[in-house]
Amino acid sequence: MGGSHAHHADDHVPEVPVGAGARITLLTALALIGAVTLWGLVSYWPRTDPRPSDSAAAGIAPGVTFPHAEVLKVHPACPRTAQGESGSGYQPPGSKVGSSAEGCGQLTSRVESGQMAGKVVTVTVPPEVSRSGIAPGDSVQLIQMPTQGQAPAFSLFSVDRSVAIWWLAGIFVLTVAVVARLRGLLALVGLAFGAWVLVKFMLPALLTGESGLAVALVGSTAIMYVVLYLAHGPSLRTSAALGGTLVGIAITAATGLVAVDTQRLSGVADETGSLLTSFVGEVNFQGLLTCAIIIAGLGVLNDVTITQASSVWELRSASPAMPRRELFTSAMRIGRDHIASTIYTIVFAYAGTALSVLLLLFLYDRPVLELLSTEDIAEEVTRTLASAIGLVLAVPATTAIAVATVTPRRSRGRRSR
């Protein structure tokens, strides 16, 4: 991948001398890993759809449907009891807490699909739904349950947010296109490829009982090959970043595997995991947790390694005669700053997604070490720390690969990008 390779017009990569031996070694190693990845994709690719063919096998009662409906009227949320009790924190519809409570906590809507299309139904909803801003004209999805000899019973499944999500996604794509231009759009294509690998390969393979570690390594490696070369162009700099990324993935996998085993984590920490065990008993949930640990660190890992490889290329371009040891030291100074900011990103990203859990734990007023030992918290802490370890060690690994690839000016080597 020499200077003849094309690059994006807005992505100038300085030309630096590259040693032939290091170049051949790096590209040969990547080619071998790529071949093994392709073999893994073929070997582990699910031959059949692992999803159950009937609704009963998926935990859905026969005859249950999910029609869409248009909201006609939203009744106020039911008032709380004087003690703030009563199960979910609100009075059931019809309870006598004054005239304002009559019909409270209910949603009236018109069914728009299915056999009952056109029927106006009223369902009871939790207070948080009533207070979420839902209004007449909004769309919801209902659960229609058949009853013997009686009219079907309806309940709320979810608010239909697809239109708002598509608008948000459109704004995101437009923003990326305007600010990052071609590189940003290619990054979105890489993101779409990653989602495709996740949905078409990794999830079905895990449901069929394949090794979570193997599926994660194969799928993650395939994603990184496409994402890095697509977003940053086929160059030796990108290859160095890819090499460091693969080292980071391997370290994260090893750390996660050991951590899950030594902590005796089951991989079933919440109601979702418990529900999944009743549908797909052949899944190894410890392997599933290891897979989740590896996937969790992919995005940040990619960011760190490409930045580190670019730093080495820029430093070599600015100082062609700098010895390798000094080049490594200078690049690591940049890498340490990036590590510090990225660790903040990982920790606060988890805190943001788990804010409700953290609030609940705060109310428990239990010793921190005891709370950390619970399955749900221990899983998240392990996921964060294992990803962080792989991330941190990927920085010196990428730096070493990049420094070994570029040669000082006084050495004979090919000029490459």
Side-chain angles (χ1 to χ4, degrees):
M1 296 183 182
S4 61
H5 286 278
H7 292 271
H8 310 315
D10 61 343
D11 182 23
H12 172 70
V13 181
E15 292 190 4
V16 298
V18 175
R23 171 193 180 92
I24 294 173
T25 301
L26 175 60
L27 296 183
T28 301
L30 291 179
L32 291 174
I33 295 174
V36 172
T37 301
L38 288 175
W39 174 84
L41 286 172
V42 173
S43 300
Y44 290 107
W45 196 277
R47 302 296 186 265
T48 58
D49 190 344
R51 290 173 294 189
S53 56
D54 60 277
S55 59
I60 302 175
V64 171
T65 57
F66 298 86
H68 289 270
E70 179 186 356
V71 176
L72 300 178
K73 184 177 180 181
V74 180
H75 298 265
C78 293
R80 297 179 183 274
T81 62
Q83 294 79 20
E85 299 173 351
S86 184
S88 57
Y90 68 100
Q91 289 285 3
S95 59
K96 303 300 181 181
V97 191
S99 59
S100 62
E102 294 181 3
C104 65
Q106 293 184 338
L107 196 72
T108 302
S109 59
R110 180 188 297 110
V111 180
E112 295 184 324
S113 62
Q115 297 179 349
M116 303 298 293
K119 181 179 177 60
V120 176
V121 299
T122 299
V123 297
T124 302
V125 299
E128 55 268 20
V129 174
S130 300
R131 300 189 183 105
S132 66
I134 189 170
D138 289 347
S139 179
V140 295
Q141 191 172 16
L142 305 175
I143 300 177
Q144 178 181 332
M145 296 166 287
T147 55
Q148 295 181 353
Q150 299 178 358
F154 291 86
S155 61
L156 180 70
F157 179 69
S158 70
V159 177
D160 188 354
R161 303 175 177 89
S162 56
V163 174
I165 290 176
W166 279 113
W167 270 106
L168 186 61
I171 294 172
F172 169 65
V173 172
L174 181 61
T175 303
V176 170
V178 171
V179 177
R181 300 180 182 178
L182 180 59
R183 176 193 278 189
L185 292 176
L186 290 175
L188 291 178
V189 174
L191 180 63
F193 172 79
W196 181 82
V197 171
L198 180 66
V199 172
K200 294 297 184 179
F201 167 66
M202 300 181 75
L203 297 183
L206 291 170
L207 286 174
T208 57
E210 299 289 358
S211 166
L213 178 63
V215 170
L217 289 175
V218 171
S220 299
T221 302
I223 291 172
M224 287 296 101
Y225 267 80
V226 173
V227 166
L228 278 167
Y229 282 125
L230 188 62
H232 303 285
S235 67
L236 205 60
R237 179 199 63 162
T238 306
S239 299
L242 177 59
T245 301
L246 297 180
V247 172
I249 290 175
I251 293 173
T252 302
T255 305
L257 193 65
V258 173
V260 170
D261 180 64
T262 56
Q263 295 180 50
R264 306 297 188 262
L265 293 173
S266 66
V268 182
D270 52 22
E271 293 181 1
T272 302
S274 300
L275 186 62
L276 191 59
T277 58
S278 63
F279 297 152
V280 283
E282 66 271 16
V283 172
N284 183 332
F285 284 86
Q286 288 184 311
L288 188 62
L289 177 57
T290 304
C291 180
I293 290 173
I294 297 171
I295 296 174
L298 286 183
V300 181
L301 186 61
N302 170 27
D303 171 53
V304 168
T305 56
I306 193 66
T307 301
Q308 202 61 20
S310 297
S311 299
V312 172
W313 248 251
E314 293 292 342
L315 288 170
R316 172 57 77 208
S317 177
S319 182
M322 183 188 297
R324 279 198 171 96
R325 181 183 295 273
E326 187 177 343
L327 177 61
F328 179 86
T329 303
S330 299
M332 280 302 300
R333 281 197 290 267
I334 300 173
R336 291 187 189 98
D337 288 336
H338 201 184
I339 287 172
S341 62
T342 305
I343 288 177
Y344 299 147
T345 301
I346 293 176
V347 173
F348 286 117
Y350 164 67
T353 56
L355 192 57
S356 298
V357 176
L358 295 177
L359 286 172
L360 186 61
L361 293 177
F362 179 78
L363 291 174
Y364 284 165
D365 193 23
R366 297 281 303 281
V368 175
L369 291 180
E370 288 186 11
L371 294 175
L372 290 178
S373 296
T374 60
E375 177 88 17
D376 51 350
I377 300 301
E379 279 193 9
E380 295 301 333
V381 171
T382 300
R383 189 176 358 250
T384 301
L385 294 181
S387 299
I389 290 172
L391 168 71
V392 171
L393 293 181
V395 171
T398 305
T399 306
I401 293 172
V403 169
T405 303
V406 296
T407 59
R409 179 76 69 184
R410 62 177 179 271
S411 301
R412 291 186 176 181
R414 295 180 59 183
R415 296 177 64 84
S416 177
R417 301 169 72 185

